[in-house]
Amino acid sequence: MRIATWNVNSITARLPRLLAWLESTGTDVLCLQEAKVAEEQFPFDQLREAGYEAAVHATGRWNGVAVISRVGLEDVVKGLPGDPGYDGAPEPRAISATCGPARVWSVYVPNGREVDHPHYAYKLQWFEALKAAVAGDAAGSRPFAVLGDYNVAPTDDDVYDVAAFEGLTHVTPAERAALAALREAGLSDVVPRPLKYDHPFTYWDYRQLCFPKNRGMRIDLVYGNESFAKAVTDAYVDREERKGKGASDHAPVVVDLDVQV
């Protein structure tokens, strides 16, 4: 079974690449972030023609998450119980579904913006709600994982130069403590192998030639429970999909599992 996560940075802009990628990689389940469309505008028909169902939580604008599957799609839950919301309203940042033998969450963790910004406090509160929401599945015997754009680099090795991030979000002790708390719920970091260079970065800014200079970050993560982690046979960052015209600024992270579909 092949499961992946990908922040596509607009499914409308990335749809031809997405469909070609699904076909070429044989991915069974894709957790998608930053759909940037309203749910009624999501390309359900094109995905169905390619053999995939989709569960979507999106309202347009800047967020939106989905689970795309060709091995079943059941028990869909949209949003987080206890979601703290931002500026008075919950945002479409989490969706879960059972896909064949596995259950997955697709998450798009708030960015945080700046350390003294209200969005940063919201980010930490959102992590607390996520931990509470996934604790039951994380402790279960079924393969389970929380995949997505976490907007946190777990360690200093997960950024190209930690000095460049001094005083900025994504690397602060509080954000990393939130990740550690999530792992304490019974999840472990499935670290992918890079296809090039030494570090499995998943995101490179469009600006300042960050991608060709490999000035990246590992912020797209796969956190799996014991059953999920034990079934992993391979995990890699598909850096090739970050190349070329019209690419997202994130690369897909792909995980292969030895489980019966």
Side-chain angles (χ1 to χ4, degrees), residues 210-232:
C210 283
F211 182 65
K213 294 180 179 180
N214 201 36
R215 294 177 176 173
M217 308 174 71
R218 185 172 78 94
I219 57 176
D220 301 87
L221 310 176
V222 178
Y223 272 23
N225 71 352
E226 183 177 4
S227 294
F228 187 96
K230 284 184 175 180
V232 173

Side-chain angles (χ1 to χ4, degrees), residues 6-21 34 36 204 206 211 239-252:
W6 190 5
N7 180 326
V8 294
N9 191 10
S10 171
I11 193 167
T12 301
R14 235 62 64 189
L15 184 59
R17 293 185 70 128
L18 171 63
L19 293 172
W21 185 84
E34 274 202 273
K36 291 186 176 179
W204 301 260
Y206 286 130
F211 182 65
R239 191 179 187 278
E240 294 298 305
E241 190 54 39
R242 176 59 176 80
K243 294 180 178 179
K245 184 179 180 180
S248 170
D249 45 2
H250 295 251

Side-chain angles (χ1 to χ4, degrees), residues 18-36:
L18 171 63
L19 293 172
W21 185 84
L22 288 170
E23 182 178 8
S24 66
T25 61
T27 295
D28 296 303
V29 178
L30 174 63
C31 293
L32 180 147
Q33 302 85 43
E34 274 202 273
K36 291 186 176 179

